[in-house]
Amino acid sequence: MGSAAVGLGLPLAGCEYLGLLRPSVLRQVDPEMAVLLNELPRLDEPNEALIGRVYATGGASRVQVGQDGVMRDTIRIPRDEYLWYPAIIIMPRGGVLELDISNEDQRPHAILMPNNNDRELTRLPAGTRGKVRVQLDHPGLYWFGCPVENHVGRGMLGLVFVKGEVPPEARLDRPPQRQPGQRRPPRHEH
C-alpha cells in the first residue's frame, strides 16, 4: 500500500484496484472507460467476467433519454481499429434505442442489432454515418456486432445493457449466483 494512502487513513488493505488511483493511470482513463469501471461491479459474476474480457476495449456509455422518451447514443468505428467506441451501451430501462453510428474506417462495416424478438441490420459503407433504431423492452444483456467478414472475431462485438428488474417468469434457469463479497475465484478442475 502506498504511503499516501496510509497517510490519509484510507482502509485500503487488500484492495486490488489501488493502482488505478495513481495520477498517471487516471489520466489514461477516458470517460467511456470510467463508465465501464463504475458499472461492472453491478453485474453478476458470470456476466462481469464476460464483459471484462470481450467488450472492455471500446469502453461504455450511458444513453441520453430525450423528451420523447427515446434513448439515444453515438458510436464511432475508428479507422483501422475494428471496434465499436463505445462497445457497451447502457440503458436505464427498456424502450426505444436510437444509435447514430459513424464509420471513420476506410472499410465497409455493418451493425446487426437486436430488436426485441428480431434483428435489425444497418450497412455502413466506408466513411459514412448511419442510424439504427430498435426496441428493447426487457432488462438484460443484448449483443450486437459487425457481420462483415470476420469483423466480430477481430473485436467488433458490442453489448447493450438494459437495466431493470427481470420478472420471475423471464429469469434464466440457472442456480442462484453469489453476490459481491461472497465470491471466490473459480477453481481449475483437473
Side-chain angles (χ1 to χ4, degrees), residues 27-110:
R27 280 193 296 274
Q28 298 174 38
V29 178
D30 58 29
E32 291 82 8
M33 287 304 287
V35 169
L36 177 62
L37 291 171
N38 287 324
E39 288 294 335
L40 282 178
R42 295 187 179 107
L43 303 175
D44 63 34
E45 188 170 342
N47 293 331
E48 180 178 341
L50 173 72
I51 293 167
R53 290 184 188 131
V54 178
Y55 303 100
T57 308
S61 176
R62 292 184 183 96
V63 298
Q64 297 294 315
V65 181
Q67 290 184 356
D68 57 359
V70 174
M71 292 169 258
R72 294 180 175 87
D73 208 346
T74 58
I75 295 179
R76 294 176 42 238
I77 303 169
R79 184 179 176 140
D80 297 328
E81 292 191 36
Y82 288 100
L83 77 106
W84 306 103
Y85 189 83
I88 300 175
I89 307 299
I90 302 163
M91 296 171 61
R93 58 176 166 68
V96 176
L97 172 64
E98 184 178 277
L99 297 174
D100 182 355
I101 306 160
S102 175
N103 181 5
E104 300 166 5
D105 201 359
Q106 68 266 19
R107 294 170 188 83
H109 295 288

Side-chain angles (χ1 to χ4, degrees), residues 97-144:
L97 172 64
E98 184 178 277
L99 297 174
D100 182 355
I101 306 160
S102 175
N103 181 5
E104 300 166 5
D105 201 359
Q106 68 266 19
R107 294 170 188 83
H109 295 288
I111 186 166
L112 183 62
M113 288 285 301
N115 189 10
N116 274 349
N117 295 323
D118 202 5
R119 296 260 172 212
E120 186 73 29
L121 177 69
T122 301
R123 297 181 197 290
L124 300 160
T128 64
R129 289 177 72 169
K131 285 193 179 185
V132 62
R133 188 175 176 124
V134 296
Q135 182 86 31
L136 299 173
D137 289 331
H138 305 288
L141 302 170
Y142 300 86
W143 71 269
F144 63 91

Side-chain angles (χ1 to χ4, degrees), residues 139-160:
L141 302 170
Y142 300 86
W143 71 269
F144 63 91
C146 178
V148 176
E149 297 172 356
N150 186 29
H151 293 186
V152 167
R154 297 171 115 186
M156 291 195 76
L157 187 60
L159 180 77
V160 177

Side-chain angles (χ1 to χ4, degrees), residues 1-10 18:
M1 185 175 350
S3 59
V6 173
L8 293 173
L10 298 175
L18 184 58

